[in-house]
Amino acid sequence: MRFPSRLLAANMVFALLLWGVLLAGVALVAAGVAVFGTLTESTWEKGVQLARWYALFVGVALVREYLPMYVAHGVTRRQFGAQAAVTATLFAPFLAVLVAVGYLLEAGAYGLAGLSQTLDRAHLFAEPTHVPLVLAEYLIELAAWLVAGSVIGAAFYRWDGGGLLAVPVGVGLVVLAESAIGTELRLPFVSRLALGLDVPQSPAVTAGLGLAAFLFGLALTWLVIRDVPLRNRPA
């Protein structure tokens, strides 16, 4: 198995393990709320928000961890850039599928228990069982978080503290994607700040803005890493 298939497979296996842990954790929380209180909303909708931060982490690691490793073993920066783009392009829909399957499993469990799987925030889909729309929404969202991570990770790898300048760029990519699907980016520790753009909602606009954010993020990452020197790490 060769790069990028090796890198993609490794991340898929790890994501699958984390998905199982998250699924079990969400199920325990839902069961606890149902037993000791009243369960009226989708628990998976809340828990799966962690997938965004995981996608961001994968994007950061894609450059900071894997770029020096592969270049040191004879892979050119151009080859790495192209193949990392393939990895990101295939990994984002894989995560979206895991999210959709989680919604379906929750729908089955709620149905057996006679519970309502009510959604708490705006989505492209009205029901969690509308699989194509679930996949579309989370593909756009997770792809944006992934490339935002790759831009930020590349900037920090190249410029150390100067990478802070790339954080607003990463946030902008995420805001663009969230606005495309009709939601707002709510930042942690800033409870009253919600970022979003007022864009017309239509399938063409949603798909176009999502694709634009993803491709722009990949292009920015390449501009940063195309001639980046490898850095020595302390032993």
Side-chain angles (χ1 to χ4, degrees), residues 161-175:
L164 286 171
L165 296 175
V167 173
V169 177
V171 172
L173 291 172
V174 170
V175 168

Side-chain angles (χ1 to χ4, degrees), residues 168-228:
V169 177
V171 172
L173 291 172
V174 170
V175 168
L176 182 61
E178 297 288 352
S179 299
I181 59 180
T183 60
E184 293 178 329
L185 173 63
R186 298 188 178 275
L187 299 177
F189 313 115
V190 193
S191 58
R192 295 186 179 181
L193 179 60
L195 304 176
L197 302 173
D198 186 14
V199 298
Q201 297 298 307
S202 72
V205 171
T206 298
L209 289 179
L211 181 61
F214 182 68
L215 294 179
F216 188 59
L218 290 180
L220 286 178
T221 302
W222 169 243
L223 288 176
V224 176
I225 69 172
R226 62 178 180 175
D227 58 354
V228 62

Side-chain angles (χ1 to χ4, degrees), residues 24-151:
V26 167
L28 287 175
V29 170
V33 173
V35 171
F36 299 105
T38 304
L39 184 60
T40 59
E41 296 177 343
S42 169
T43 312
W44 182 248
E45 179 194 31
K46 295 176 173 61
V48 82
Q49 293 184 43
L50 292 173
R52 304 182 303 183
W53 298 100
Y54 175 65
L56 183 78
F57 168 79
V58 171
V60 171
L62 192 61
V63 176
R64 287 187 61 84
E65 300 300 323
Y66 295 111
L67 170 64
M69 180 193 310
Y70 280 100
V71 171
H73 285 80
V75 176
T76 68
R77 288 162 181 77
R78 182 177 297 276
Q79 289 173 328
F80 178 85
Q83 296 176 29
V86 172
T87 300
T89 301
L90 296 177
F91 188 64
F94 176 75
L95 291 180
V97 168
L98 294 183
V99 172
V101 171
Y103 273 118
L104 292 177
L105 292 175
E106 182 185 64
Y110 274 43
L112 290 175
L115 299 172
S116 176
Q117 193 183 17
T118 305
L119 299 172
D120 185 50
R121 64 187 185 97
H123 292 279
L124 287 180
F125 51 92
E127 297 291 339
T129 52
H130 294 168
V131 176
L133 291 179
V134 173
L135 289 174
E137 174 176 326
Y138 283 97
L139 173 58
I140 291 171
E141 182 177 58
L142 295 174
W145 282 76
L146 196 156
V147 293
S150 70
V151 171

